[in-house]
Amino acid sequence: MKILLATTAIALMATPAMAADVIDYSAPTPAPSYDVAPERFGWDGGYAGAQLGYGFAEADPGDDPSGIVGGLHAGYLMQYGSFVVGPEIDVDASGIDGEDLEIDAIARAKLKAGVAIDRFLVSGTVGYAYAWGESDTDGDVSDGALEVGAGLDFAATDNIVVGSDYMYHNFGEFDDTNSDLDLHTVRARVSYKF
């Protein structure tokens, strides 16, 4: 009987010890997940492309010549947060023609600066423009002017950028024509971003 009581007592004392050794095989808690913000488009780097549009001038005195413009452009942009800035050059062949004055070509060197909103770039430009043409009274004429403008670009792919711009050129008295000339151009553009 003593052996039976001793065995029962040992068995009862061992049960809690074995229960403590039971292993929990439940699945581990998954690691927390975080939504990663999509990578924003970067405007840094060089680009080159072509443009086509329309130009019109206001000559005082004189008529108001107008016509098609088109050519090539190239530039380099640097991005600091949402701010984008860089130099750009372009040249347009011109069909701006009137009774008194014809503008054959316009070249520009300018600084472009703007704000990037992911794949959109809203920008302004300021620089120097030079135009060549012909006057009925003076023959070949050419002159330089201040240029200011604004534009909107959209990165359709990582390398193809489409956009448009408006530019105003204030020539004052254009060469020796005795005519004050203000020139406006509106153009569509496509660029390849390197």
Side-chain angles (χ1 to χ4, degrees), residues 75-151:
Y76 188 90
L77 293 175
M78 296 161 283
Q79 185 167 357
Y80 306 96
S82 293
F83 181 68
V84 178
V85 64
E88 182 178 285
I89 58 171
D90 72 51
V91 63
D92 281 328
S94 168
I96 298 174
D97 192 6
E99 292 178 12
D100 305 322
L101 178 66
E102 176 181 325
I103 297 175
D104 299 322
I106 310 161
R108 303 169 190 90
K110 57 199 173 201
L111 182 67
K112 182 174 184 174
V115 176
I117 306 164
D118 196 15
R119 289 184 172 269
F120 286 93
L121 176 62
V122 180
S123 63
T125 61
V126 62
Y128 185 75
Y130 202 85
W132 296 265
E134 296 174 20
S135 166
D136 287 348
T137 57
D138 299 301
D140 291 341
V141 291
S142 63
D143 209 346
L146 173 70
E147 173 275 327
V148 294

